[in-house]
Amino acid sequence: MENQPPTPPPYSPVPTGPAPLNQSDERMWAMLAHLSALTGLFTVVGSVVGPLIVWQVQKERSAFVDFHGKEALNFNITIAIASAISFVLFLLLVGFVLIWIVGAVWLIFTLIAAVKANNGEYYRYPLTFRFVK
């Protein structure tokens, strides 16, 4: 009996997916999905790339972050389109006023969404085209 090999430990499967986020981390990443758009103040494409990166990295770990990441991405794509239209309308002198309105709406709604996400609430941006579902 002494020559018998030891019995192996019971099988326990190794998780293959990423570990889910706790509630505090969920709120932080959801808030960062919105606030990362503020990098658009310094780079041309930052307002779209920031939320895209946060969403792609964390969407598998939390449905809450997935929702907020898509919302932030959709809103910033919509704002990019509105900004491009405003820029084209500079020729008619309407774009000069319109670009400031678009910028103010972008900043205000981004900050509102970040606060709501940090409070653990779901927030949908108004007047947003839903490109990513």
Side-chain angles (χ1 to χ4, degrees):
M1 296 257 167
E2 289 180 27
N3 292 336
Q4 288 185 352
T7 57
Y11 174 75
S12 62
V14 177
T16 57
L21 295 172
N22 64 40
Q23 190 176 26
S24 174
D25 288 342
E26 274 186 332
R27 291 193 327 255
M28 180 197 63
W29 280 107
M31 179 184 67
L32 285 175
H34 297 289
L35 292 179
S36 65
L38 296 178
T39 60
L41 294 171
F42 308 107
T43 64
V44 176
V45 294
S47 62
V48 174
V49 172
L52 177 65
I53 290 171
V54 172
W55 176 58
Q56 285 296 315
V57 169
Q58 297 297 335
K59 71 180 179 178
E60 300 288 325
R61 299 181 70 190
S62 165
F64 186 69
V65 177
D66 182 43
F67 173 83
H68 279 282
K70 286 190 279 191
E71 278 298 303
L73 184 59
N74 284 325
F75 177 68
N76 284 288
I77 292 171
T78 302
I79 289 295
I81 292 169
S83 297
I85 291 169
S86 297
F87 187 72
V88 169
L89 291 176
F90 263 95
L91 300 173
L92 301 175
L93 300 178
V94 177
F96 182 73
V97 174
L98 193 57
I99 195 73
W100 288 102
I101 293 171
V102 169
V105 166
W106 171 70
L107 183 60
I108 291 167
F109 283 147
T110 298
L111 294 177
I112 289 171
V115 169
K116 296 280 189 181
N118 194 40
N119 291 338
E121 302 172 36
Y122 287 87
Y123 178 77
R124 289 184 65 98
Y125 287 98
L127 306 172
T128 300
F129 297 110
R130 307 284 186 248
F131 296 103
V132 180
K133 298 195 187 256

